Amino acid sequence: MTLSDIIKILSTAEGDPYLSCHIDELNFTSNIYVVGQVKPNTPGAVLGDREAHHREKQSISFIGELNSFGDNFHDQDFLLEHTYQVDELSYELRYFLVEDIDINSEKAVLVARSGELLSLREQHDEPEFE
């Protein structure tokens, strides 16, 4: 689903529902931590609950964040970035395409129904502190 499709759908939602994300493959539901470029020239949302004010993102403020992307982003697919802790020393960034939005009066959920975009997976080592 493109960034402009998400804006159109959320703009039709009644009220100002709270936003969350769901990845079917992982049976994982999360709030949005950060909205931005998750890959070069690719808009998306980093999942997580690290900051209290991010946990309660509502659709109107989210639409505002999406509208802040330049015009060249509006036809780009929107991705969800999920951090998977492999072990104590490494983690992976995994990416999922938003394919649907489930909306009711209280909640809007960005849904990734297909599997992970394996070609985009990144592997990282945790920095060592002494």
Side-chain angles (χ1 to χ4, degrees):
M1 181 172 281
T2 66
L3 184 117
S4 60
D5 291 336
I6 293 170
I7 292 170
K8 284 179 200 171
I9 292 169
L10 289 177
S11 296
T12 65
E14 291 184 28
D16 190 13
Y18 287 95
L19 207 64
S20 66
C21 301
H22 182 78
I23 300 171
D24 278 354
E25 180 178 294
L26 305 176
N27 194 26
F28 177 77
T29 301
S30 175
N31 292 313
I32 294 173
Y33 175 54
V34 175
V35 176
Q37 289 186 53
V38 294
K39 298 293 266 178
N41 300 315
T42 304
V46 177
L47 304 183
D49 292 328
R50 290 174 261 187
E51 300 290 335
H53 65 281
H54 291 293
R55 287 196 292 263
E56 298 185 2
K57 189 176 294 290
Q58 290 180 270
S59 63
I60 290 174
S61 62
F62 183 66
I63 290 169
E65 291 179 72
L66 297 182
N67 280 322
S68 70
F69 281 92
D71 290 340
N72 57 324
F73 285 93
H74 284 267
D75 291 328
Q76 298 294 322
D77 287 329
F78 194 82
L79 304 181
L80 301 178
E81 179 185 291
H82 174 261
T83 301
Y84 175 76
Q85 194 72 38
V86 176
D87 55 35
E88 291 179 3
L89 301 175
S90 62
Y91 66 95
E92 296 175 340
L93 296 179
R94 297 178 178 184
Y95 298 91
F96 300 84
L97 177 65
V98 171
E99 298 168 275
D100 198 7
I101 302 176
D102 294 334
I103 301 176
N104 64 42
S105 61
E106 298 175 8
K107 196 175 205 181
V109 182
L110 303 177
V111 182
R113 298 206 188 282
S114 298
E116 176 189 356
L117 301 170
L118 291 170
S119 63
L120 299 181
R121 183 183 285 187
E122 299 174 29
Q123 296 178 338
H124 298 276
D125 294 326
E126 296 281 357
E128 291 185 35
F129 297 103
E130 292 187 28

